[in-house]
Amino acid sequence: MPKNAFYAQSGGVTSVINASACGVIETARQHPDQIGKVYAGRNGIIGALEEDLIDTSQESAEAIAALRHTPSGAFGSCRYKLKGLEENKAEYERLIEVFKAHDIGYFFYNGGGDSQDTSHKVSQIGDALGYHVTCIGVPKTVDNDLPITDNCPGFGSVAKYVAVSIREAAFDVASMAKTSTKIFVLEVMGRHAGWIAAAGGLAREQEGDAPHIILFPEVTFNKEQFLAKVDETVNKFGYCCIVVSEGVKDETGKFLADAGTRDAFGHAQLGGCAPVVANMCKDALGHKYHWAVADYLQRAARHIASKTDVDQAYAMGKAAVEFAIQGKNAVMPTVVRTSNNPYTWEIGHADLADVANVEKKMPAEYITEDGFGITEACREYLQPLIAGEDYPPYKNGLPDYVVLNNVAVPKKLATEFKVK
């Protein structure tokens, strides 16, 4: 009998992570001789630890296909990082107990850097605890900061949203700048890597176009230089539009938006960079301002997803299953760019050991010398990733997204395990 598969979503969700889920489930269904059922973990790895599994075989082919155009995590996600085997052996023993009980021999974990660390740790339990699981990571992160892969599913659609949003907001500001708002600040995600902020630069195609200033985590914030650039821009164009990454730091290394709290992974909980920057402009220059935080809107905007991103997200899920049935283990499928113009790509793979907990930041050659914009090399890299439209179906004027039944798999274990 073929072994069953476990699939789960982890970390911050995206507008296309469900397209990867679709790729995994549809491809697994095409190989019933090698993979039995696909069980999804409810709320990520927590679903495995608590034996809270979802039987995806109870969903119709039409419902699974609709995942391709539905945002967010259809099975629930989590921010939960497994500790090392020696630090918390009980968690790994529990995983094996659940996997054995449900005859699970394949593990597909869909997430970013911390999630791929989990994938890597799970891939090691076979040798350490004597139960083999074929473990494949499925890449996902809006931050675009996974190493080795050319880009990350989830990023292209956020990039498209940010570029469109700053362009549209700039038209609004420009029309009112004579007597009203002169400063507009859009805050985007990106704790340590400025890829999303950089994407805003795609909206600037000629001199005077917004964004006039981009603030990157990779560039130390200098208040005097920033305010001088704002003043120069307002004097020249009548207004100034700014894209700022949430992770911008000052010369002391402190986040401009550090709220003093920590998230589940121990990362600083950032409290809002846009109002900090906007108030600087008001206090120093006296200009009226508006600011906005893209927040969840940027990663949930499936209605404006990049076709390139949707296609690659699906392909990563499909490749993960194909790798597993080919006998590969402890790897993650990657996007390999083969040409910029025309843009072409193919599927490669990376060892999970080389991916886990490694952040890919913006290279210096992608940021202009003054630190406030993107170079042509960066534009050449980014442009194909936002290309193409892949609109969801609409009903009553709204996107028609699917909500799965998420039928629970009957529990087989007598003991319960609660994640704290």
Side-chain angles (χ1 to χ4, degrees), residues 80-258:
Y80 186 83
K81 191 170 182 177
L82 290 178
K83 296 178 181 178
L85 181 61
E86 297 308 315
E87 294 176 77
N88 197 344
K89 192 174 181 180
E91 285 187 332
Y92 295 90
E93 291 173 338
R94 173 64 175 186
L95 286 177
I96 289 177
E97 189 180 25
V98 172
F99 292 166
K100 282 182 176 178
H102 295 276
D103 200 23
I104 291 169
Y106 300 94
F107 180 91
F108 301 105
Y109 209 44
N110 201 170
D114 288 312
S115 305
Q116 298 314 323
D117 177 64
T118 295
S119 301
H120 181 229
K121 286 171 178 171
V122 172
S123 73
Q124 297 174 316
I125 65 176
D127 290 337
L129 299 176
Y131 182 83
H132 177 75
V133 181
T134 296
C135 184
I136 310 290
V138 185
K140 170 251 37 165
T141 175
V142 296
D143 293 321
N144 198 41
D145 59 356
L146 286 175
I148 305 174
T149 186
D150 175 77
N151 61 280
C152 305
F155 169 68
S157 295
V158 167
K160 191 180 186 82
Y161 177 90
V162 168
V164 169
S165 295
I166 194 64
R167 171 169 284 183
E168 292 179 339
F171 270 76
D172 187 304
V173 177
S175 68
M176 299 294 292
K178 181 70 175 176
T179 59
S180 185
T181 302
K182 284 182 166 57
I183 306 294
F184 177 72
V185 184
L186 176 64
E187 179 181 328
V188 300
M189 290 178 172
R191 182 176 302 272
H192 301 299
W195 296 104
I196 297 176
L202 292 173
R204 183 177 181 178
E205 295 181 341
Q206 56 189 14
E207 188 183 18
D209 287 350
H212 306 104
I213 298 173
I214 302 174
L215 300 178
F216 303 95
E218 291 87 351
V219 178
T220 300
F221 180 75
N222 183 299
K223 184 176 178 179
E224 290 70 29
Q225 290 178 3
F226 167 69
L227 290 172
K229 181 70 172 178
V230 172
D231 192 40
E232 174 192 343
T233 303
V234 172
N235 289 333
K236 189 171 184 179
F237 303 114
Y239 70 105
C240 181
C241 286
I242 302 158
V243 174
V244 56
S245 174
E246 65 179 352
V248 171
K249 295 179 181 179
D250 63 20
E251 64 278 356
T252 70
K254 182 181 179 181
F255 289 111
L256 295 189
D258 192 339

Side-chain angles (χ1 to χ4, degrees), residues 303-304 391-401:
H303 67 287
I304 198 173
Y391 300 119
Y394 276 71
K395 181 180 179 182
N396 297 327
L398 294 171
D400 189 15
Y401 298 140

